[in-house]
C-alpha cells in the first residue's frame, strides 16, 4: 500500500506511528515531503489483525520514538505487544526499557516478557531472571511458541532452584526434556 | 497522478524488503537440507501423516537424516505418531531445537507443545471472524518456523501438509520449486478424482510433482498372509507417475495410534512397499534448491 499526495503527485512518507486508543487498532501518520500535508491511516482491530497475520511490521519508528515524553505510550494497552511487534526497532535502537505489563491477549496464559539486559529490574519477585544471551536465544524462536518456551524453562529453573537463566541452564533444560 | 508502480518504495515500512529478508533467512536456514518433499493429498483421512512417518523411517534405513515438519498446524498428528510426549519448545544455540523420535527422526510438530485436549489458538486482537485472517496467519507462522528452526542435524525434510486440494496448491505456491510434491490417495474413485484435480493445480505452479502414492490399496490379512482389495479396481490416469501402492496393515495402524517404534514396521509388508516408494521418490525428485527461495521477484 502506498500513499500519494494528490496536490503534489508525490509519494507520502511515513512520519509517525501513534499509539492506539483502547479497543482500536494502530494509527500511522504519513506526510507529503513537498507540501507538508498529512494523513492518518487508522485501522480497526480486524484490519490490524490481518496485517499482523502477514508477519510483517508496519511503521518505521521505534516505540521509544513514538512516546516523545519518554513514557511508554503502550503501557497498559492490551494491544501493546502487538504494536511492539509490528514496529521494528530503529537502527541502533534497543527494545524499550519499559516492558508491557502483561500479555497483550487477555485470554492467553502468557507470562510477562522481560527485555534482554534488564530482566533483573523487571522480573516479578520470585521468578528467575534471564541473562541477555538466554533472552536472545528465546527471542530467536517463533513468536507463537515463545510464551510456552518461557513458561516451561522458568518452571524447570524454579524446580531446580535456579535464580538466573543463562545459556547453560537452557542447555540443561533441553537435555532434561529429551532434546 | 502517478500510479502505484511509479512510486519507489512504500514510504517507510519496506514491507517488500521484510518479505525478501524473510525468504532469504528461510533459504539460509534450509541450507543443510539437500532434499525436500511435501506430502499432500486431495481428501483427508487417506493416511498421509502415517505414510510420511513411514517414509522417514525408510529414509533412515537408506542412511539419510530425515526430519518431519508437521505443517498441519490445526490438526498436528506427527508428535503422536512419533511417540513424543508434550513438552515446552526449546531454544538451542542455533535456533529452535527439533525433538527426536526414538528412531532418530526429527519431528517438529505443534502436537509436541500443545496437548490434544487444547485447540491450537492464534492470539488475536480482533474477536470473532477469524476466517478473515487465520489462513494467512498459518502461512506466516509456517514461514517463521522454517526461518527459526535449527535444521543442521538433518538433510531431508518431509513436510506433512494439511489435507485438501486447495491446500496443496497454496503450499506449492508458498514453497516453490524447492519442494517435490508427493500426493497420497486411496483407491476410491472419489479420492482419485480429487488428486487428479490437485495434480492439475500443481501443474500451474513451479513446484515439481514427484508422483502419487496409493495408500490402503488392499487389506493385509495376517491370518492368511494375503492382500485383499478394499475398493473396486480403478486405473484412471491421475496425470502423475505412481510411486507405489501400500496395503493397509491393521497391526501397523494400531501401532500408529500409540506411537510407532522400530519394531512396529520392520516386519510389516506395508513397509516393504514403502522402501520401494522411497527409492522411486529419490529417482524422480530433483535436489532441493533452497537458494531459490530467497530470490523473490522484487518490484518497486
Amino acid at each position: 500500500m502506498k500513499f500519494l499526495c494528490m496536490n503534489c503527485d508525490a509519494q507520502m512518507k511515513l512520519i509517525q506511528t501513534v499509539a492506539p486508543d483502547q479497543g482500536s487498532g494502530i494509527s500511522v501518520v504519513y506526510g507529503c515531503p513537498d507540501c507538508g500535508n498529512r494523513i492518518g491511516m487508522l485501522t480497526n482491530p480486524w484490519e490490524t489483525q490481518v496485517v499482523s497475520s502477514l508477519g510483517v511490521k508496519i511503521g518505521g519508528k521505534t516505540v521509544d520514538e513514538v512516546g516523545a515524553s519518554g513514557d511508554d505510550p503502550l503501557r497498559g494497552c492490551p494491544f501493546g505487544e502487538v504494536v511492539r511487534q509490528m514496529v521494528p526497532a530503529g537502527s541502533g535502537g534497543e527494545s524499550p526499557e519499559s516492558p508491557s505489563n502483561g500479555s497483550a491477549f487477555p485470554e492467553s496464559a502468557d507470562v510477562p516478557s522481560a527485555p534482554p539486559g534488564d530482566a533483573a529490574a523487571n522480573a516479578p519477585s520470585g521468578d528467575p531472571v534471564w541473562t541477555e544471551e538466554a533472552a536472545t536465544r528465546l527471542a530467536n524462536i517463533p513468536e507463537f511458541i515463545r510464551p510456552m518456551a518461557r513458561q516451561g524453562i522458568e518452571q524447570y529453573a524454579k524446580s531446580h532452584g535456579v535464580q538466573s537463566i543463562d545459556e547453560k541452564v537452557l542447555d540443561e533444560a533441553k537435555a532434561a526434556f529429551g532434546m | 497522478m502517478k500510479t502505484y508502480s511509479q512510486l519507489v518504495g512504500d514510504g517507510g515500512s519496506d514491507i517488500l524488503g521484510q518479505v525478501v529478508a524473510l525468504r532469504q533467512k528461510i533459504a539460509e536456514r534450509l541450507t543443510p537440507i539437500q532434499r525436500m518433499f511435501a506430502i499432500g493429498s486431495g481428501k483427508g483421512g487417506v493416511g498421509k501423516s502415517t505414510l510420511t512417518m513411514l517414509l522417514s523411517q525408510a529414509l533412515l534405513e537408506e542412511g539419510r537424516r530425515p526430519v518431519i515438519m508437521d505443517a498441519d498446524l490445526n490438526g498436528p498428528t506427527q508428535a503422536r505418531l512419533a511417540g513424543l510426549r508434550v513438552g515446552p519448545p526449546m531454544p538451542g544455540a542455533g535456533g529452535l531445537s527439533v525433538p527426536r523420535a526414538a528412531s532418530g527422526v526429527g519431528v517438529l510438530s505443534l502436537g509436541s507443545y500443545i496437548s490434544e485436549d487444547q485447540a491450537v489458538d492464534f492470539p488475536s486482537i480482533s474477536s470473532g471472524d477469524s476466517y478473515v485472517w487465520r489462513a494467512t496467519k498459518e502461512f506466516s507462522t509456517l514461514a517463521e518456523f522454517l526461518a527459526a528452526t535449527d535444521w543442521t542435524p538433518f538433510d531431508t525434510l518431509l513436510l506433512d501438509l494439511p489435507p485438501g486440494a486447495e491446500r496443496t496448491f497454496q503450499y506449492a505456491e508458498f514453497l516453490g520449486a524447492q519442494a517435490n510434491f508427493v500426493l497420497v490417495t486411496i483407491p476410491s474413485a472419489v479420492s482419485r478424482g480429487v488428486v487428479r484435480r490437485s495434480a492439475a493445480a500443481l501443474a500451474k505452479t513451479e513446484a515439481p510433482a514427484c508422483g502419487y502414492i496409493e495408500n490402503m490399496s488392499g487389506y493385509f490379512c495376517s491370518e492368511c498372509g494375503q492382500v485383499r482389495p478394499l475398493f473396486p479396481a480403478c486405473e484412471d490416469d491421475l496425470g502423475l507417475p505412481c510411486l507405489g501402492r501400500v496395503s493397509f496393515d491393521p497391526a501397523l495402524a494400531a501401532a500408529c495410534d500409540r506411537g510407532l517404534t522400530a519394531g512396529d514396521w520392520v516386519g510389516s509388508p506395508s513397509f516393504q512397499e514403502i522402501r520401494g516408494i522411497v527409492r522411486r521418490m529419490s529417482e524422480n525428485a530433483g535436489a532441493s534448491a533452497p537458494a531459490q527461495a530467497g530470490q523473490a521477484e522484487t518490484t518497486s
Side-chain angles (χ1 to χ4, degrees):
Chain A
M1 188 180 291
K2 300 178 185 179
F3 296 92
L4 182 72
C5 177
M6 297 301 292
N7 289 337
C8 307
D9 200 22
Q11 184 173 11
M12 302 186 89
K13 303 295 182 189
L14 188 142
I15 290 178
Q16 187 183 19
T17 304
V18 180
D21 292 329
Q22 290 279 347
S24 72
I26 57 174
S27 307
V28 187
V29 177
Y30 286 83
C32 175
D34 293 345
C35 68
N37 184 35
R38 291 187 172 197
I39 62 162
M41 184 182 82
L42 312 175
T43 63
N44 64 35
W46 289 270
E47 290 160 340
T48 307
Q49 185 61 36
V50 168
V51 175
S52 171
S53 299
L54 292 169
V56 294
K57 297 177 172 62
I58 68 171
K61 302 283 186 175
T62 64
V63 176
D64 289 330
E65 292 169 17
V66 169
S69 65
D71 289 336
D72 179 5
L74 300 176
R75 188 191 299 277
C77 171
F79 312 121
E81 191 56 39
V82 174
V83 174
R84 246 180 270 279
Q85 289 165 14
M86 296 180 73
V87 178
S91 55
E94 296 178 6
S95 300
E97 292 185 359
S98 304
S100 58
N101 286 337
S103 168
F105 308 109
E107 67 273 14
S108 75
D110 299 351
V111 297
S113 60
D118 209 10
N122 294 306
S125 59
D127 284 346
V129 296
W130 291 68
T131 65
E132 187 164 346
E133 292 78 15
T136 299
R137 268 211 213 175
L138 182 68
N140 285 337
I141 70 171
E143 180 266 329
F144 176 58
I145 55 173
R146 215 172 288 151
M148 302 175 209
R150 172 184 286 277
Q151 195 164 39
I153 292 165
E154 288 183 352
Q155 279 173 359
Y156 169 85
K158 284 181 195 172
S159 68
H160 288 77
V162 171
Q163 297 296 317
S164 173
I165 297 174
D166 57 14
E167 289 183 293
K168 182 165 170 288
V169 173
L170 291 184
D171 290 336
E172 288 168 0
K174 198 171 138 199
F177 284 108
M179 282 188 239
Chain B
M1 59 187 270
K2 288 190 173 64
T3 62
Y4 183 91
S5 59
Q6 289 175 315
L7 299 182
V8 178
D10 60 8
S13 298
D14 194 22
I15 300 290
L16 191 59
Q18 292 179 53
V19 172
V20 169
L22 177 61
R23 288 185 179 183
Q24 285 172 342
K25 179 122 187 252
I26 292 173
E28 283 162 18
R29 281 286 189 177
L30 289 176
T31 303
I33 301 297
Q34 296 169 11
R35 194 160 281 172
M36 185 189 303
F37 294 99
I39 317 297
S41 69
K43 306 289 287 178
V46 297
K48 175 178 45 60
S49 296
T50 305
L51 276 182
T52 303
M53 176 57 72
L54 292 173
L55 290 170
S56 74
Q57 306 303 329
L59 285 163
L60 260 185
E61 275 192 356
E62 289 202 339
R64 310 296 291 182
R65 290 173 283 121
V67 57
I68 297 173
M69 169 142 195
D70 197 343
D72 189 349
L73 301 183
N74 292 296
T77 53
Q78 289 295 343
R80 174 183 274 276
L81 286 165
L84 294 174
R85 60 187 175 96
V86 174
M90 282 291 137
L96 177 66
S97 295
V98 179
R100 302 262 198 159
S103 63
V105 171
V107 177
L108 185 58
S109 172
L110 286 187
S112 294
Y113 311 135
I114 302 173
S115 61
E116 287 177 349
D117 59 353
Q118 290 183 293
V120 176
D121 263 332
F122 293 103
S124 165
I125 64 169
S126 58
S127 113
D129 298 323
S130 64
Y131 60 87
V132 172
W133 53 266
R134 196 171 167 111
T136 305
K137 181 66 179 176
E138 287 173 21
F139 275 97
S140 67
T141 301
L142 179 68
E144 223 185 325
F145 271 97
L146 288 172
T149 298
D150 182 5
W151 303 106
T152 52
F154 311 104
D155 64 9
T156 306
L157 173 58
L158 299 169
L159 281 140
D160 181 13
L161 304 187
E166 86 289 356
R167 289 302 205 161
T168 300
F169 181 71
Q170 286 169 352
Y171 277 86
E173 288 203 311
F174 176 75
L175 295 168
Q178 62 185 325
N180 299 281
F181 270 70
V182 175
L183 299 183
V184 180
T185 185
I186 56 176
S188 79
V190 168
S191 179
R192 289 175 68 90
V194 181
V195 166
R196 195 181 311 118
R197 196 185 295 279
S198 298
L202 262 183
K204 296 180 182 176
T205 72
E206 292 179 357
C210 200
Y212 76 91
I213 300 171
E214 186 180 87
N215 196 22
M216 303 186 207
S217 63
Y219 171 91
F220 174 70
C221 176
S222 58
E223 291 186 2
C224 66
Q226 292 195 350
V227 176
R228 300 178 181 282
L230 273 172
F231 298 90
C234 186
E235 295 291 336
D236 50 334
D237 182 16
L238 299 190
L240 293 173
C242 179
L243 297 169
R245 293 181 164 83
V246 183
S247 51
F248 179 77
D249 181 349
L252 194 55
C256 289
D257 278 349
R258 64 171 185 265
L260 286 166
T261 61
D264 290 321
W265 62 78
V266 167
S268 169
S270 302
F271 195 67
Q272 315 309 318
E273 295 150 350
I274 294 282
R275 286 193 180 104
I277 288 171
V278 159
R279 277 195 295 275
R280 283 183 282 279
M281 279 169 61
S282 298
E283 287 163 7
N284 289 5
S288 70
Q292 293 179 16
Q295 294 169 13
E297 184 181 340
T298 57
T299 54
S300 58

